[in-house]
Amino acid sequence: MASGMSRRFGSNKLLADFCGEPMILRILRATQGLFARRVVVTRTPEVAELCGQMGVEAILHGLPLRSDTVRLGLEAVGEADGCMFCAADQPLLRRETIEGLLRAAADDPDSIWRPCHGGQPGSPVLFPRWAFDRLMHLPEGKGGAYVARMHPERVRTIPVRDEYELMDADDREALEALLRVSTERGE
């Protein structure tokens, strides 16, 4: 998912420099080779172009709502067994976490899978096929977390190492904090 308006950030955060490259490249690399199909839904031609350079399909749109982004992504994916929605502004999300969600879903394919830290669920979220219809018909402006909240009995989590992995770079302060963590880790 790369369709945010970046209002709090002040410019397109997905193109912001993160350790010498546009932030969106982090999620594209973290998911490379893990899925039968990857689709990025974006409002930005520059993001779509970067995706194309990485061999990732991009859907460029001008629709206003988060629910539009979810619907467009699901329409593009088609008849999949499941779908993982990854926010493109979590630069410290580890590939190992994504792989862990996929392994968990292979063992329990009817559950909604999320990473968590300290009991707080985060993104990305992996939805099974039964949830697609609900996701296609979200209330205006809602995202996939709405479906997870409507079915708490079906949500499962896997723990992550630290809180930074689930943090979004929603504003410049958050980006700077994530950059400091990345530098301290030598990433």
Side-chain angles (χ1 to χ4, degrees):
M1 294 180 62
S3 284
M5 300 287 203
S6 296
R7 286 186 185 111
R8 287 176 282 176
F9 198 81
S11 64
N12 189 327
K13 62 185 168 183
L14 302 182
L15 299 174
D17 184 279
F18 196 89
C19 299
E21 65 185 7
M23 184 174 3
I24 191 167
L25 293 183
R26 307 272 299 192
I27 192 65
L28 295 179
R29 285 199 186 94
T31 58
Q32 192 167 10
L34 297 180
F35 298 92
R37 186 167 182 198
R38 294 184 298 162
V39 177
V40 172
V41 181
T42 184
R43 290 182 177 92
T44 310
E46 295 85 0
V47 168
E49 183 179 329
L50 277 173
C51 291
Q53 292 170 8
M54 295 286 293
V56 176
E57 178 183 350
I59 296 171
L60 190 59
H61 74 97
L63 299 172
L65 304 173
R66 180 183 298 179
S67 50
D68 296 324
T69 302
V70 170
R71 183 179 41 74
L72 290 169
L74 278 175
E75 286 172 352
V77 169
E79 295 297 319
D81 292 332
C83 181
M84 183 179 289
F85 287 96
C86 299
D89 63 351
Q90 289 179 256
L92 298 183
L93 181 65
R94 298 176 196 271
R95 180 180 179 90
E96 293 80 17
T97 296
I98 298 166
E99 291 171 333
L101 289 166
L102 292 170
R103 280 191 304 277
D107 290 339
D108 184 358
D110 289 328
S111 291
I112 297 170
W113 285 95
R114 304 182 76 167
C116 73
H117 184 267
Q120 291 294 334
S123 293
V125 183
L126 193 147
F127 291 96
R129 180 88 186 133
W130 66 260
F132 285 16
D133 186 60
R134 291 164 180 87
L135 291 164
M136 290 291 287
H137 298 95
L138 289 167
E140 250 186 42
K142 298 292 183 185
Y146 176 85
V147 173
R149 283 191 299 276
M150 295 297 101
H151 299 280
E153 75 286 356
R154 312 260 328 244
V155 176
R156 306 287 181 270
T157 59
I158 63 166
V160 296
R161 282 194 244 174
D162 62 57
E163 63 189 310
Y164 300 108
E165 190 172 351
L166 304 182
M167 283 182 62
D168 297 339
D170 282 337
D171 56 37
R172 296 222 178 251
E173 274 184 18
L175 176 67
E176 291 301 320
L178 292 167
L179 279 166
R180 279 193 299 279
V181 170
S182 182
T183 300
E184 289 167 7
R185 292 179 177 170
E187 294 179 353

